Amino acid sequence: MIGYRYFIELPKLERGISLIAERELETLTFSIQNILNTVSRTTSDYAVWTSTYNFMLDKNQDYID
């Protein structure tokens, strides 16, 4: 009984836990990537909006170019 659990059940359990941990890490990586993409888009939008607003104030030739 001890040999069966040690050589059969324990490796199955370890593989199962390993697969669950890998899935959790993949999910976490995917979520972080989505958050970073959202932050990147938001930052870009604000940067473009600020440049456009500054152009409206002083008609900056660099912005037109």
Side-chain angles (χ1 to χ4, degrees):
M1 181 78 143
I2 293 171
Y4 174 78
R5 288 197 177 181
Y6 184 77
F7 292 109
I8 304 293
E9 292 296 322
L10 187 59
K12 286 181 182 179
L13 180 62
E14 289 173 348
R15 278 193 301 273
I17 291 172
S18 176
L19 289 174
I20 290 171
E22 286 178 22
R23 277 189 239 143
E24 290 292 324
L25 287 174
E26 288 172 3
T27 302
L28 182 62
T29 302
F30 180 76
S31 297
I32 289 172
Q33 194 63 29
N34 282 339
I35 290 169
L36 290 175
N37 288 340
T38 301
V39 168
S40 176
R41 283 194 307 268
T42 302
T43 304
S44 176
D45 288 346
Y46 279 122
V48 170
W49 186 86
T50 302
S51 299
T52 304
Y53 181 76
N54 288 337
F55 168 73
M56 295 302 293
L57 289 178
D58 62 7
K59 308 287 192 256
N60 186 355
Q61 186 62 36
D62 291 334
Y63 182 82
I64 294 171
D65 294 338

